[in-house]
Amino acid sequence: MSHLYLKSRLGIINFSDRIKIATDGPNDGGIDAFYIDARAKVIHLLQAKFRANSENFETEQMSAYDLLKMDVSRITKGQKKDEQGNSYNDQIKALQKAIAKVPDLANYQYKVVLLGNTEKLSKAALSRLVEGFHVEQFPHDRVYAEMLFPVINGTYFSEPNLSIEIDLSNVSGGQSHLDYNVRAQNQNINIKLLFVPTREIGRIMNSYKNSVLRFNPRSFLELSDNPVNRDIEASIRTAVNNEFALFNNGVTIISDETKGTSNTAKRGKAQIVLKNPQLVNGGQTAHTLGRIYSECANSGDFNQFKSKEVLLRVISFEGSSQANQSSRLTLIGDISKASNSQTKVDESDRRSNDPVQLKLQDLFFKDHGLYYERKQGEFHDGIHAGYIDKALTVDREKLIRVGLASSFQVRQARSSIKKYFADPNALNEILKVGDIEQYAFGYELLSLIDTERKAKPTSPNDRYNTKLYGQGLRYGQYAVLATCIFNGLKHGLNAQAILKNTLTQWRGFESWASKEPANAQYKKSQSFDFPNYYKGATINDDLKSYNFVYPSDKKSMSQKNKNLV
């Protein structure tokens, strides 16, 4: 758990770097790990008390005794032994040496980080138990939302005060940037235009990836699949002069606050500091520079970036970030969409940051342990690292089909769904946050139906088991899905049970439907046109009208007959 905190909250990505600051073991003074953050002037002291199995992880509580074992005061004052006379282990001694080497220690704050559930202890009690040190506590729900999920979707670390160095050697008149102020949607906004070293943009993208792409319609992985990248890469690798600054459209970053100075004590250098930066345009450029930077870092040779700069537009929001938060987020979304309107972006990507998409992703994870992929490839890091199975991800286009099927719009579920992403009103009508339970249930059912469709047939040359299930798996998979969602939730059956029960009744449903007068148009001599029937106008009403029977219905009828006797 300490490793998860160090990676997700502090950006210590490599295990080898984290193990050096782990102190967990005998005589550790109740401290499992530490980190001295020179940038933020904070010394983190970690104590993790989560249990291994899933149930205890959420219910087991840290006790007062657990916290009393933390010798924070003794250790930070240089004591070599605990109150029982036991010498602290070598890792704790290394912590003490590291603290002693901090030159401006008086400017630092100690933070005790408790990784565990402490519902039975008030904030004041926690502070007293750790001798008055500042405490930040992470119960299981914060761990899931703020540590686990960000690691899985690659947003685990974003530098809150990101520094970019500017080369002033090509700047005339000593002016490093152009300033312009504008007011929009009750927000005071500052726009800075400047040229920055391509190496700096590459460093940022290589380090933070999806963390700086929250408002960009694409994820880091998706940005790689574009022929434009080859041209950008060639202009860096082959150009001798700074043609890159001339031909590239540049990068747009949104920042809560931006500060700049040329007083860096470095000749010809200036610096800007961005607070909570997010890249909203120029993703292809930044991705390519990040990939080149990674290669250069591995080789130790950064000559390809020499004397090459790129135009940077920084849009900063002035004033408190909490003021007018709703209008600010709306404006950020509008800026992102406008910035990307001149490049080819799929509408499903363009809608990835719509409020309903964000809320659905949050609820899928919190309530069902599923990962709704708003942006293509956003969970690639988690899957590639083996943190999650790809089966736990929810595909956005399949979710639209589930949403349509759950409201008995079966023929619509079979058709192209790209039009729903193009129309935000249509998307909001299909996907409703309050229906998350049936979406999660329906998505599980759709996966089971896909498995049944691919399964080895019971009879030779009967690919979709039509002898058992009629045309349900061949043409009517979304009709089966709609029926199972509705009746599964109504009768309290799990996905496997409701699918099996429904499929065994499907031939009976098709026999009934083929005889209905409203379906006369699908009758052809001695056959029935099932392909067009399942795409037709009557299928939705037929599913609602047919009397599928389930175990609870049978029990209810049996009890009714007994009462009559």
Side-chain angles (χ1 to χ4, degrees):
M1 190 54 58
S2 298
H3 281 270
L4 182 60
Y5 177 88
L6 293 170
K7 180 173 183 176
S8 64
R9 304 288 291 185
L10 301 174
I12 307 174
I13 299 171
N14 296 323
F15 177 82
S16 58
D17 293 330
R18 297 195 299 269
I19 202 66
K20 294 174 185 176
I21 53 178
T23 56
D24 186 25
N27 302 319
D28 60 12
I31 298 174
D32 295 330
F34 73 94
Y35 179 68
I36 300 175
D37 188 344
R39 178 194 55 78
K41 306 294 184 183
V42 175
I43 299 174
H44 301 256
L45 303 173
L46 281 59
Q47 168 69 280
K49 281 295 179 184
F50 280 114
R51 301 304 188 265
N53 64 65
S54 58
E55 182 178 353
N56 286 344
F57 187 86
E58 297 187 2
T59 60
E60 194 73 20
Q61 300 292 313
M62 293 181 78
S63 67
Y65 177 70
D66 291 329
L67 301 181
L68 286 171
K69 291 191 297 184
M70 293 191 73
D71 291 348
V72 179
S73 182
R74 293 183 66 85
I75 290 171
T76 56
K77 288 179 178 177
Q79 297 285 346
K80 302 302 180 184
K81 298 180 179 181
D82 62 23
E83 290 182 345
Q84 285 72 42
N86 301 309
S87 295
Y88 292 121
N89 65 30
D90 290 341
Q91 294 93 324
I92 292 296
K93 292 176 182 176
L95 161 62
Q96 292 175 320
K97 289 179 181 178
I99 293 174
K101 290 180 180 178
V102 176
D104 56 340
L105 189 58
N107 293 323
Y108 280 68
Q109 177 190 34
Y110 285 99
K111 178 192 286 188
V112 175
V113 180
L114 303 179
L115 303 170
N117 301 305
T118 59
E119 290 178 5
K120 298 178 181 179
L121 298 169
S122 67
K123 189 172 183 179
L126 290 174
S127 181
R128 286 196 299 271
L129 289 167
V130 295
E131 304 171 283
F133 286 90
H134 174 68
V135 177
E136 185 170 14
Q137 191 259 331
F138 287 84
H140 68 274
D141 52 348
R142 280 195 74 185
V143 170
Y144 287 143
E146 300 177 34
M147 294 164 61
L148 179 62
F149 189 85
V151 165
I152 290 171
N153 81 333
T155 60
Y156 50 85
F157 181 63
S158 181
E159 176 66 72
N161 291 294
L162 190 63
S163 297
I164 295 178
E165 192 170 70
I166 310 163
D167 188 342
L168 296 179
S169 58
N170 293 327
V171 176
S172 301
Q175 185 68 29
S176 62
H177 63 272
L178 174 67
D179 262 308
Y180 184 76
N181 295 315
V182 64
R183 184 165 177 80
Q185 296 185 20
N186 298 319
Q187 301 282 336
N188 293 320
I189 298 168
N190 173 262
I191 302 172
K192 285 181 170 58
L193 294 177
L194 60 156
F195 282 91
V196 301
T198 52
R199 174 174 171 173
E200 279 293 285
I201 298 299
R203 175 186 66 82
I204 293 166
M205 201 64 173
N206 178 62
S207 299
Y208 307 119
K209 297 183 173 69
N210 285 341
S211 292
V212 292
L213 293 171
R214 290 192 180 97
F215 296 115
N216 194 288
R218 288 169 169 163
S219 68
F220 181 79
L221 176 68
E222 192 186 1
L223 289 167
S224 64
D225 187 20
N226 195 304
V228 174
N229 293 13
R230 290 192 291 271
D231 295 332
I232 296 172
E233 184 174 356
S235 64
I236 286 289
R237 295 191 188 278
T238 61
V240 176
N241 298 311
N242 195 11
E243 292 93 340
F244 195 88
L246 183 64
F247 298 132
N248 190 272
N249 289 333
V251 173
T252 300
I253 289 179
I254 288 178
S255 171
D256 282 346
E257 183 182 10
T258 304
K259 296 179 180 179
T261 180
S262 57
N263 300 322
T264 61
K266 296 180 182 179
R267 186 177 180 181
K269 301 290 183 181
Q271 186 184 75
I272 62 170
V273 178
L274 310 178
K275 184 177 181 181
N276 296 323
Q278 288 294 310
L279 189 150
V280 295
N281 186 244
Q284 299 292 154
T285 296
H287 175 276
T288 304
L289 295 176
R291 190 177 63 193
I292 296 172
Y293 183 93
S294 177
E295 294 174 5
C296 292
N298 289 333
S299 67
D301 182 2
F302 290 92
N303 279 328
Q304 292 183 60
F305 288 110
K306 188 176 181 180
S307 300
K308 297 183 179 77
E309 295 177 317
V310 63
L311 177 65
L312 174 63
R313 180 171 68 144
V314 181
I315 301 174
S316 307
F317 290 88
E318 299 181 354
S320 171
S321 61
Q322 299 302 316
N324 302 318
Q325 185 69 6
S326 178
S327 62
R328 175 173 294 198
L329 290 174
T330 299
L331 185 56
I332 289 173
D334 291 343
I335 293 170
S336 177
K337 290 173 184 176
S339 298
N340 288 280
S341 63
Q342 295 179 351
T343 56
K344 184 175 178 7
V345 180
D346 193 281
E347 281 300 327
S348 51
D349 287 323
R350 209 181 293 280
R351 292 274 169 266
S352 63
N353 287 312
D354 284 1
V356 66
Q357 301 274 57
L358 293 166
K359 188 61 178 176
L360 284 171
Q361 185 180 69
D362 181 55
L363 290 176
F364 265 118
F365 177 69
K366 285 183 177 177
D367 295 348
H368 302 281
L370 297 173
Y371 300 86
Y372 176 43
E373 195 170 58
R374 296 181 294 110
K375 305 178 188 181
Q376 183 181 345
E378 71 174 311
F379 295 112
H380 175 265
D381 281 357
I383 294 169
H384 180 72
Y387 298 140
I388 62 169
D389 192 296
K390 194 176 188 306
L392 293 174
T393 61
V394 176
D395 179 85
R396 60 193 178 188
E397 295 192 2
K398 287 184 179 180
L399 180 63
I400 293 290
R401 298 189 191 279
V402 169
L404 289 166
S406 69
S407 58
F408 283 100
Q409 299 181 69
V410 171
R411 66 189 183 95
Q412 292 89 336
R414 285 196 63 185
S415 64
S416 171
I417 50 87
K418 290 189 180 297
K419 57 181 177 288
Y420 297 109
F421 285 105
D423 182 353
N425 293 324
L427 189 67
N428 290 335
E429 287 176 6
I430 295 167
L431 297 179
K432 297 180 175 63
V433 171
D435 292 335
I436 188 71
E437 294 294 328
Q438 66 188 45
Y439 298 156
F441 185 59
Y443 202 85
E444 181 183 2
L445 280 163
L446 184 59
S447 297
L448 292 174
I449 291 170
D450 287 342
T451 300
E452 285 288 340
R453 282 169 56 85
K454 297 172 184 176
K456 184 178 180 180
T458 304
S459 302
N461 302 318
D462 186 17
R463 180 179 173 185
Y464 296 104
N465 280 318
T466 56
K467 293 179 181 178
L468 292 175
Y469 311 135
Q471 303 298 327
L473 293 177
R474 187 175 188 181
Y475 302 116
Q477 67 266 39
Y478 295 109
V480 172
L481 176 62
T483 304
C484 288
I485 293 173
F486 177 77
N487 288 294
L489 294 173
K490 177 182 177 181
H491 296 277
L493 297 173
N494 64 38
Q496 291 87 349
I498 193 66
L499 179 59
K500 180 179 180 181
N501 208 309
T502 300
L503 285 175
T504 58
Q505 300 181 67
W506 207 257
R507 291 189 67 187
F509 163 74
E510 289 185 339
S511 176
W512 169 85
S514 65
K515 297 171 186 175
E516 284 293 289
N519 296 324
Q521 59 183 312
Y522 302 114
K523 293 179 182 178
K524 294 183 178 181
S525 185
Q526 300 300 313
S527 64
F528 191 81
D529 185 3
F530 281 108
N532 282 315
Y533 168 67
Y534 282 114
K535 293 189 293 185
T538 60
I539 178 62
N540 295 333
D541 288 335
D542 284 355
L543 292 172
K544 299 175 187 176
S545 300
Y546 185 71
N547 185 31
F548 288 93
V549 179
Y550 296 98
S552 59
D553 295 323
K554 295 175 183 178
K555 291 178 183 178
S556 178
M557 292 177 65
S558 175
Q559 185 62 45
K560 185 177 181 180
N561 291 335
K562 287 181 181 179
N563 293 338
L564 288 174
V565 174

